[in-house]
Every structure is written in structure tokens, then in C-alpha cells.
Amino acid sequence: MFLISSIPLLWIPELVTTSRLNFSTFISLFRQFKRYTFVEFFENIREELEAVVWPLFIFLVFQNALSVGYVGTLAGIGSIIFTIFVGRYTDRINSKIFMRIGAILMVGIWLTRFMWPQIPLLLYVSTVVAGLLACLIEVPFTSYIYNSA
């Protein structure tokens, strides 16, 4: 089924774009989109913490790889459930409100994780909630970027 659905892709014309990126172009784009660059930078830090540092922390706390699998699964479940909800309301309500609420609550999740790392259930619950909050940040941010383009 997948192979059959891929056949129409063979007739898409090839699009060749030429762009020259160098340091001066980067600087001019950075100056032009300074706010976006900073927001994207810090959002990427949040993503890497959730995707790399948090599973390593879970592995070190529980000393088994199965817990790392639980963390990834729980974060995915939290994201799937909440993405639909956030996506519906992002276009109706100001997307910056969602991003700000998500960022503030995400700070609370990380403070909770660092204050009580010895409670296993809290670590798993915070993973689900972090998946939910990631949607509060990522869905409106992506919508905002697409609307600005």
C-alpha cells in the first residue's frame, strides 16, 4: 500500500533553488528576525532537554533501559492527546498566550523534577505532562511561523 501511494511522487517536477548562505547572510537574517531567532534557539534547548537529557536522567535514576522506553512512550501519548486540542484553539485564540502558558508551566515541571527526583511516579507523570505542555509551545509556535511566512 505504501509503495503504491508513493508512485504519484515520481511525476513531481524537480525544483532546483539556488541560495548562497555565508556568514554575512546569516548576520543579516539574524538582524532581520532577531526575535524569532532567540525564540527558536531556546525552544530547541527545551526540545533537546526533553529528548536527550531527560531520558539519560531517567536511565541513571532507575538503572534500566525499560524506564527510558516508558518515558518516550508516555511523552508521545501526552503529545498525541493534547495536539488535537491545542490545534483546534490555536487559530481561534492568540497563539502567544498558549506559548507563554506552556513555557511557564514547563518551568514548573522542570522545577518539580529537580526537587523530587526520588519519587518514580512523579517522574513518569511529569513526563506525560511535559508532553502535553510541549504541544502548548510547539503547535502555536509552528502556526505562528507559518502565518508569518
Side-chain angles (χ1 to χ4, degrees):
M1 187 65 112
F2 176 73
L3 291 174
I4 293 171
S5 68
S6 300
I7 291 174
L9 296 176
L10 298 173
W11 285 277
I12 295 177
E14 185 175 339
L15 178 64
V16 179
T17 59
T18 57
S19 59
R20 303 179 93 180
L21 292 177
N22 53 29
F23 192 70
S24 63
T25 306
F26 170 76
I27 295 297
S28 68
L29 287 173
F30 177 76
R31 286 183 182 148
Q32 185 179 2
F33 302 107
K34 193 177 291 188
R35 263 182 107 177
Y36 166 75
T37 306
F38 281 118
V39 170
E40 181 66 27
F41 176 75
F42 286 109
E43 204 278 328
N44 282 331
I45 290 174
R46 187 209 53 81
E47 278 184 9
E48 300 310 320
L49 282 172
E50 287 293 328
V52 178
V53 175
W54 184 243
L56 286 173
F57 177 77
I58 292 294
F59 179 76
L60 293 174
V61 167
F62 294 115
Q63 296 294 316
N64 66 7
L66 191 60
S67 294
V68 176
Y70 290 151
V71 164
T73 303
L74 291 172
I77 289 171
S79 296
I80 289 169
I81 292 169
F82 212 53
T83 298
I84 297 168
F85 172 75
V86 173
R88 285 186 181 163
Y89 292 103
T90 295
D91 294 331
R92 297 180 193 161
I93 302 172
N94 188 359
S95 61
K96 291 180 183 178
I97 292 171
F98 278 118
M99 288 187 283
R100 288 178 181 152
I101 291 170
I104 291 168
L105 293 175
M106 189 64 84
V107 168
I109 287 295
W110 277 99
L111 289 175
T112 302
R113 288 173 171 177
F114 285 123
M115 291 172 65
W116 296 287
Q118 67 276 12
I119 304 173
L121 182 63
L122 182 66
L123 296 178
Y124 290 127
V125 170
S126 74
T127 301
V128 173
V129 174
L132 299 172
L133 296 178
C135 292
L136 268 180
I137 297 169
E138 290 176 14
V139 172
F141 184 63
T142 304
S143 173
Y144 179 75
I145 295 303
Y146 287 160
N147 290 335
S148 299

